[in-house]
Amino acid sequence: MPMHKRRSLILGGAALSLVGSLGAGRLALADTKTAVRLIVPYPPGAATDTLGRLMAQALEPAVAAPVIVDNRGGAGTQIGTRAVATAAPDGRTLGFVDTAFVINPGLFGSALPYDTEKDFAPISLMASAPLVLIVHSAVPAATLKEFVALAKAKPGSLNYGSAGVGSAPHLAGEQLRTAAAIDINHVPYRGGGTVLNDLLAGHVQFGFTTVPTMIDHIRAGTVRALAVTGTRRAAQLPDTPTMQEAGLPSVDATPIFGLIGPARLAPDTVSRLSSTAAQAVRAGPLHQKLVELGFVPVGSSAEEFRTRIRQEIEKWAAVVKAGNIKPNA
């Protein structure tokens, strides 16, 4: 069974234990028999889908109704995200998004069918997930410094894969290219599973991925971890330095995951949902599950999430512009 499916099954069972564990007040929604839809702009099985299902379980005690995950994948997350933007602001439709939400404004510009800052109500930033720079075991580099030296000695010889143009791993590679002043080649794939298989087989030499995705292969020695993004070392990789410790602090492509709603969602609903989500993320079973899986729990307020969204949009727009990255390149 593929690793991502095994994780989904494990997480699914863990999510069930979260129900009833929260003490937050319930939302005063008009019809408590109607299920709440949590739209995830990915197919089932993706990491964002898995985290969205955990959040759905955590929210149920607050809304006093089932929270059903509605997968709306496609168009680089635009289909599902637009469905949230155009939903009635009655608290019955929410969205669970990741870094694509803040990358897409810089990548697609006016072609995006919604305004990321105006058409949504940020509720809470659930978690972040450090990316780890990994190389195939055949690459003669044990540290980031040695990797950069190798890339400079053999310009254009090292290829890295990503889940597609504009994905967080792609832009992490662009940050690395700029920060280290190296000549590397991006190989975009249609989804994360294929690129990871090719990396394990040595068809591409390196790449960025989340820690949980590759931790077993790192421990087995199939791939080698050189550095992680974020401000602190990953708990599962205590001997792997951060990008800052390794000398490239500007490589900071750390994916984020958060809860949103339509723009006109009532402030009281936003406040209560934000409080419930933050409480679930900061303590209890959900917090522990996130830590075990290699994520960094956050549990922000709505305004803190709004500020983070604005900052992330500006950061990624600059990376896209500097790399002259086009959506279909």
Side-chain angles (χ1 to χ4, degrees):
M1 181 181 294
M3 287 182 62
H4 73 275
K5 290 186 178 180
R6 292 203 304 270
R7 286 198 306 274
S8 295
L9 290 174
I10 293 170
L11 289 173
L16 294 176
S17 69
L18 298 173
V19 179
S21 65
L22 304 178
R26 297 188 173 193
L27 299 183
L29 298 176
D31 180 5
T32 57
K33 295 181 180 180
T34 303
V36 173
R37 288 190 307 155
L38 181 62
I39 296 177
V40 175
Y42 290 94
T48 304
D49 170 65
T50 300
L51 290 181
R53 291 178 187 278
L54 287 171
M55 180 52 68
Q57 295 287 345
L59 290 174
E60 284 189 346
V63 301
V67 179
I68 307 300
V69 172
D70 183 358
N71 295 97
R72 301 280 190 93
T77 74
Q78 293 180 49
I79 292 174
T81 307
R82 184 176 185 275
V84 179
T86 58
D90 57 6
R92 289 298 173 187
T93 300
L94 304 173
F96 194 79
V97 295
D98 63 7
T99 302
F101 184 68
V102 290
I103 289 175
N104 282 349
L107 187 63
F108 292 95
S110 60
L112 206 60
Y114 48 79
D115 187 312
T116 303
E117 292 193 69
K118 295 180 180 179
D119 292 344
F120 303 94
I123 295 173
S124 183
L125 174 61
M126 177 181 179
S128 62
L131 291 180
V132 55
L133 170 61
I134 54 176
V135 298
H136 188 266
S137 57
V139 175
T143 65
L144 181 59
K145 183 177 180 180
E146 291 178 359
F147 176 81
V148 171
L150 177 66
K152 289 186 174 181
K154 298 182 178 180
S157 65
L158 296 175
N159 303 314
Y160 76 98
S162 81
V165 172
S167 63
H170 172 207
L171 298 191
E174 287 299 316
Q175 287 185 321
L176 177 62
R177 180 202 308 275
T178 300
I182 54 179
D183 180 7
I184 52 179
N185 303 312
H186 174 229
V187 182
Y189 288 76
R190 292 184 179 276
T194 306
V195 62
L196 293 180
N197 288 337
D198 273 12
L199 178 55
L200 291 172
H203 300 316
V204 291
Q205 289 72 51
F206 74 101
F208 285 86
T209 184
T210 57
V211 174
T213 301
M214 296 298 284
I215 186 64
D216 290 342
H217 298 291
I218 293 171
R219 289 170 176 165
T222 311
V223 293
R224 188 179 305 116
L226 300 186
V228 296
T229 63
T231 59
R232 57 187 179 185
R233 296 190 180 194
Q236 295 92 336
L237 298 170
D239 297 327
T240 302
T242 65
M243 284 288 177
Q244 182 171 5
E245 291 173 329
L248 296 177
S250 61
V251 182
D252 61 353
T254 298
I256 59 174
F257 304 86
L259 187 65
I260 61 171
R264 299 179 302 283
L265 199 59
D268 181 60
T269 300
V270 171
S271 177
R272 295 191 184 192
L273 285 170
S274 178
S275 177
T276 298
Q279 179 184 347
V281 168
R282 291 175 181 172
L286 180 55
H287 175 88
Q288 289 303 119
K289 179 55 61 177
L290 291 172
V291 172
E292 289 171 9
L293 293 170
F295 295 95
V296 178
V298 179
S300 75
S301 69
E303 280 308 308
E304 287 170 339
F305 191 20
R306 184 182 298 278
T307 298
R308 180 66 177 271
I309 287 170
R310 185 178 304 114
Q311 293 171 341
E312 293 281 317
I313 288 174
E314 293 175 356
K315 178 177 77 174
W316 292 123
V319 173
V320 169
K321 183 178 180 180
N324 193 30
I325 299 170
K326 306 300 180 183
N328 298 316

